[in-house]
Amino acid sequence: MSAQFSASMPNLEQVPRFHRRFPPLVMSLEELAGTGKHTFPRKKILVREQTSDSILHFDAGHPSLDHDPVQMPVSQFWPGCDNSARFLKLSQRRRWKRRTSVPDATNAHGVSLFSHALAASSSTAGLQSTECVSSSDSSDNLFSVKSEVKYSKLFSIEYHDTYKIVNNLSTNNTYALYQCGSTKPDIKNIDAFIPIPVSSAAAWSTSAAMFIEALGVQDHVKNLGTAPSIVSACLQELLEDVIKPFDEGNSTSTDEQEQSNAVVFSMPGGEDTNTTNTVVSTEYLEPSALGRSEWIKFFAVFFNAEERANTAFESIESNYDCFTKKAGEEYDDLRPVVAWTSYAGPTEYNNNTAYWQISFADYKYDLVRDAGARMLNTTGAQATMFSTAAAFLDALEEVDIVIDESFVSYSYDELLKNYGVKDPSKSTYSWVTASRVFRPDRLQSTAGGLDWFEAPVAFADALLQDVIGVAHPKFVKDGYQPIWFRNLADNEPVVVVSASNCTDMYAQRKDPAESCSSLTFQEANPDDEDYEGVDENQTDDLIYDISKSEIINESDSDSSDGAFLSVNALQAAVAVAFVALCAAM
């Protein structure tokens, strides 16, 4: 079965000037297909008006090339969007040509891009070179504390006496950060020259905001995007009186807000033509959980906060390693099979064609393996999409745990109906009989934003702890209540986080993970109801062979049957559907 989409390409010259300046972003077809190399071709497709932009959403809460589409509340990134849509809607400003100009000490509005010291309200503990230098000492080595990249594949940092070079390797952007007061380095092919430490910053994504809070430099943040979707209690409190949300419905106002900051952290496609202080971050594209969390070092270099970043990440790394070791020791002989799934019902956005998906994103594979569980996988794909519920259920036949990431938050009964399970009392699926169906939506903002796309990116150890709690519910003797996952089958409620939950809005964000070394792991009992149907002494991934519709132990097949939609073909088809939607508006 193949999806049928038809559309006529709109003439981009007919797009209103305002929308060419403040356009929506949809990945080009070759980007949607993905190359596995995390590259971003610069050609994009404009598809809709600013108030109702659409983008096929990939993994981890952000648009990505190589990871699986995951449905999520549209309010997570653009609260003004139509919440009935099945696909994430996102509006972003777009850079149409490579910038060649560089900022001076003041921007176009005469606002200073840096101060002679960090804000007085901020503690300088863990910060270096907080004062501007004079020309007489500008040749000194100013950065005694450096950050080294260990896990992340998508950024790099180079240190020189008075400046740093930061590269986003996924977007091919390069930034020169030079100590305020020193001579701006004479370097070619730089996307932005930014004096540091920056005294003011803005962020468009919730994960970038979380890294800033994890560094304890949120007192320098002036503006945040998608503000209603932010779950952090203290960022919510700051948004009440201190931090101003971007005026996302007014392009001129947003321009002024961006230009009043020393740096604006954006997502690919969000760079503003009229500003030269935009920095693109792509932490959500990292293929490993620790690699995502290591982006704290990327953000730290702008604030000269390397010591804080190094300390925080070393703690996360150590705790993560401890959890991995203990889970491997205790659960090596009893590893349940985990499937990350989602359902998209028929809507105008997918040509009224429902599909079901199983995700195999690299970081999820690492988490499942490190949690003492096994990953349901197919033959080498990052995601597998099915056009029938029957084929989808066939792939889930040997699965023990389902983690549902569908866009719509629904009840357990609705999930079973959407998945095609007609009579759960007669079901033989262990994830049904053992009631082990989870959703990562326990923590939410009052507007419905999910913390799943926020704190877990920064705290890989807490995320691993949660996955262990899903795979082995009694892994600690006193019991464990997951931070982000809730058992949908048990009708566990969501937890709404508000500003009233904040105790110190300027404090450095604490890692929510338990100290692994202080925990006593409880040995898994094969007779426990939590392990109903789990095969013992199985350690390899469970590989579903699409061509044969059976379980095999090796991934050497790349063909598909009629009930399977390849991820590349479906992504391309959805992109064309979006273009058709634009033409119809």
Side-chain angles (χ1 to χ4, degrees):
M1 176 180 178
S2 61
Q4 300 295 323
F5 293 98
S6 63
S8 59
M9 182 69 74
N11 183 349
L12 296 188
E13 292 302 320
Q14 297 175 353
V15 176
R17 180 178 180 183
F18 172 78
H19 297 307
R20 277 182 271 138
R21 159 67 190 87
F22 196 69
L25 165 68
V26 164
M27 296 295 178
S28 64
L29 297 187
E30 61 181 326
E31 287 184 73
L32 284 168
T35 63
K37 297 181 180 180
H38 302 287
T39 56
F40 282 81
R42 295 195 179 277
K43 293 183 179 179
K44 308 289 180 182
I45 302 175
L46 288 178
V47 295
R48 300 189 67 187
E49 292 185 1
Q50 182 267 332
T51 56
S52 56
D53 304 345
S54 295
I55 185 169
L56 181 60
H57 168 61
F58 286 77
D59 215 33
H62 301 277
S64 154
L65 297 187
D66 311 312
H67 297 297
D68 51 298
V70 174
Q71 312 312 318
M72 60 169 285
V74 296
S75 61
Q76 182 70 19
F77 287 98
W78 206 260
C81 294
D82 176 10
N83 283 277
S84 66
R86 292 283 181 176
F87 291 93
L88 173 68
K89 300 175 184 223
L90 173 66
S91 193
Q92 295 206 347
R93 283 170 310 284
R94 178 68 187 148
R95 177 179 63 184
W96 294 107
K97 59 183 180 179
R98 191 175 183 87
R99 291 189 295 267
T100 56
S101 60
V102 298
D104 296 318
T106 59
N107 60 24
H109 294 276
V111 178
S112 175
L113 294 179
F114 59 88
S115 64
H116 290 286
L118 289 174
S121 60
S122 173
S123 168
T124 58
L127 304 177
Q128 62 178 334
S129 299
T130 59
E131 300 288 340
C132 290
V133 298
S134 63
S135 57
S136 60
D137 58 6
S138 62
S139 61
D140 296 338
N141 187 341
L142 302 177
F143 312 116
S144 59
V145 180
K146 300 176 175 59
S147 289
E148 296 183 2
V149 181
K150 184 176 181 180
Y151 297 93
S152 295
K153 307 296 183 183
L154 303 183
F155 79 92
S156 66
I157 307 171
E158 304 168 17
Y159 287 90
H160 301 269
D161 286 346
T162 60
Y163 65 94
K164 314 166 191 178
I165 299 296
V166 183
N167 298 287
N168 185 322
L169 303 177
S170 67
T171 59
N172 296 318
N173 289 116
T174 301
Y175 309 103
L177 319 181
Y178 62 100
Q179 186 67 21
C180 58
S182 67
T183 302
K184 184 174 67 178
D186 184 13
I187 309 172
K188 304 297 183 182
N189 299 319
I190 298 296
D191 289 278
F193 288 88
I194 299 177
I196 56 173
V198 296
S199 60
S200 60
W204 278 100
S205 73
T206 56
S207 56
M210 175 50 55
F211 279 111
I212 291 172
E213 186 181 7
L215 288 168
V217 292
Q218 60 268 31
D219 56 332
H220 305 306
V221 176
K222 293 179 62 177
N223 304 105
L224 288 176
T226 63
S229 297
I230 291 176
V231 181
S232 164
C234 290
L235 289 180
Q236 287 187 51
E237 185 174 4
L238 284 167
L239 280 163
E240 290 180 352
D241 300 307
V242 181
I243 298 175
K244 302 299 182 184
F246 276 119
D247 187 0
E248 299 176 19
N250 186 319
S251 177
T252 301
S253 176
T254 302
D255 277 347
E256 294 175 352
Q257 289 175 309
E258 286 189 327
Q259 292 167 4
S260 70
N261 285 279
V263 64
V264 177
F265 296 108
S266 184
M267 294 160 59
E271 307 93 318
D272 191 337
T273 316
N274 297 331
T275 64
T276 53
N277 59 347
T278 303
V279 171
V280 177
S281 68
T282 50
E283 60 278 358
Y284 46 86
L285 290 181
E286 284 289 346
S288 71
L290 281 174
R292 298 196 309 170
S293 294
E294 196 171 23
W295 274 72
I296 191 173
K297 298 176 182 178
F298 176 92
F299 291 93
V301 296
F302 294 87
F303 301 92
N304 286 347
E306 282 91 339
E307 183 178 342
R308 292 185 184 181
N310 295 345
T311 300
F313 183 76
E314 287 168 6
S315 175
I316 292 171
E317 177 190 25
S318 176
N319 213 32
Y320 188 103
D321 290 344
C322 174
F323 276 121
T324 300
K325 180 179 179 181
K326 284 193 174 184
E329 292 172 350
E330 296 296 337
Y331 309 127
D332 190 53
D333 296 331
L334 197 61
R335 292 175 173 261
V337 178
V338 177
W340 302 75
T341 61
S342 63
Y343 164 76
T347 71
E348 61 178 314
Y349 300 104
N350 59 12
N351 202 33
N352 292 315
T353 304
Y355 70 87
W356 295 257
Q357 178 177 279
I358 300 175
S359 163
F360 316 113
D362 292 337
Y363 82 94
K364 294 175 182 175
Y365 169 80
D366 289 343
L367 287 166
V368 169
R369 176 200 61 196
D370 295 340
R374 302 161 62 200
M375 184 81 162
L376 174 65
N377 207 336
T378 60
T379 53
Q382 280 286 315
T384 299
M385 292 182 182
F386 300 87
S387 61
T388 69
F392 175 66
L393 286 176
D394 186 46
L396 299 181
E397 184 176 0
E398 302 296 327
V399 168
D400 301 303
I401 299 169
V402 163
I403 299 177
D404 175 76
E405 297 180 290
S406 301
F407 164 72
V408 177
S409 179
Y410 38 46
S411 69
Y412 181 56
D413 289 341
E414 290 172 322
L415 177 140
L416 294 178
K417 180 181 178 180
N418 291 337
Y419 279 26
V421 179
K422 297 180 180 179
D423 188 349
S425 66
K426 298 180 181 180
S427 176
T428 58
Y429 301 108
S430 63
W431 52 275
V432 176
T433 58
S435 299
R436 304 196 69 185
V437 179
F438 297 84
R439 281 181 60 83
D441 62 356
R442 179 183 294 275
L443 289 187
Q444 301 186 16
S445 71
T446 54
L450 302 186
D451 199 47
W452 177 246
F453 303 107
E454 195 170 312
V457 181
F459 300 107
D461 56 336
L463 179 54
L464 176 58
Q465 173 185 286
D466 246 28
V467 178
I468 295 174
V470 166
H472 307 281
K474 299 180 177 66
F475 82 97
V476 290
K477 292 183 178 179
D478 294 334
Y480 176 69
Q481 176 67 64
I483 302 170
W484 296 289
F485 295 102
R486 66 183 179 101
N487 191 319
L488 194 65
D490 289 344
N491 198 30
E492 291 181 348
V494 301
V495 176
V496 177
V497 180
S498 67
S500 63
N501 298 114
C502 177
T503 56
D504 184 352
M505 60 185 178
Y506 290 115
Q508 189 171 354
R509 176 67 177 260
K510 181 182 178 182
D511 185 346
E514 301 283 347
S515 173
C516 170
S517 60
S518 66
L519 297 177
T520 301
F521 278 46
Q522 181 170 299
E523 184 177 353
N525 180 3
D527 296 326
D528 192 294
E529 62 180 5
D530 291 323
Y531 297 103
E532 178 182 340
V534 177
D535 289 339
E536 296 184 55
N537 302 313
Q538 298 291 325
T539 58
D540 294 332
D541 285 347
L542 190 67
I543 307 297
Y544 179 71
D545 186 348
I546 301 167
S547 64
K548 300 177 182 178
S549 296
E550 62 183 17
I551 304 302
I552 59 176
N553 292 319
E554 56 189 26
S555 55
D556 58 359
S557 173
D558 58 3
S559 60
S560 62
D561 62 20
F564 170 71
L565 289 176
S566 72
V567 64
N568 291 352
L570 184 60
Q571 289 168 357
V574 171
V576 175
F578 284 157
V579 175
L581 188 61
C582 175
M585 292 183 63

